[in-house]
Amino acid sequence: MNASNTQIQMRKGLLEFCILHIISRGEVYASDMIDELTAAKMIVVEGTLYPLLNRLKKSGLVSYQWKESETGPPRKYYTITEEGKDFLVTLDQTWEDLIQSIQFITSKR
């Protein structure tokens, strides 16, 4: 069994949670999300982000607005919706519960 495959799957499972947190801080451009996710070693392939953003938009959790750019074509900036904020509160609680559960299991050596 390959540990790196499991590590990738673990990161993918948390990617939506991380993206919503990034967007919840304020209006953000996709390449800025990629930069932060890459720096945090949470994203392996850039192409993973765009389908996820589309899914979050279709679910009503994020929205976007086109804005003119001084350096090129217009850019799509993402913001979290009220429904997205509520969803993120639920995910935050789930994350805290998971941390406790994992610590409970892994502390028994």
Side-chain angles (χ1 to χ4, degrees):
M1 188 160 195
N2 187 343
S4 73
N5 288 340
T6 302
Q7 292 167 327
I8 290 168
Q9 292 304 313
M10 290 171 78
R11 284 186 186 95
K12 279 185 180 181
L14 293 170
L15 193 55
E16 182 176 314
F17 180 54
C18 292
I19 289 169
L20 285 172
H21 260 283
I22 292 168
I23 297 172
S24 74
R25 294 185 223 135
E27 198 172 65
V28 64
Y29 181 53
S31 69
D32 295 328
M33 284 185 251
I34 290 169
D35 290 345
E36 184 169 347
L37 291 165
T38 302
K41 299 180 182 172
M42 282 301 298
I43 195 167
V44 177
V45 188
E46 185 176 311
T48 307
L49 179 64
Y50 295 101
L52 183 50
L53 287 170
N54 285 332
R55 200 165 55 248
L56 292 171
K57 167 106 172 54
K58 286 179 184 177
S59 298
L61 302 177
V62 302
S63 61
Y64 63 79
Q65 182 177 16
W66 288 98
K67 292 198 173 188
E68 292 298 322
S69 169
E70 295 176 9
T71 59
R75 294 178 171 189
K76 202 184 281 187
Y77 284 86
Y78 291 85
T79 55
I80 194 165
T81 63
E82 287 303 316
E83 186 178 347
K85 289 176 186 176
D86 293 341
F87 188 70
L88 188 54
V89 168
T90 301
L91 292 182
D92 279 333
Q93 184 57 57
T94 302
W95 178 245
E96 292 300 321
D97 293 344
L98 282 169
I99 289 171
Q100 289 179 10
S101 298
I102 297 300
Q103 287 175 339
F104 175 80
I105 292 168
T106 59
S107 67
K108 295 180 179 184
R109 303 227 177 221

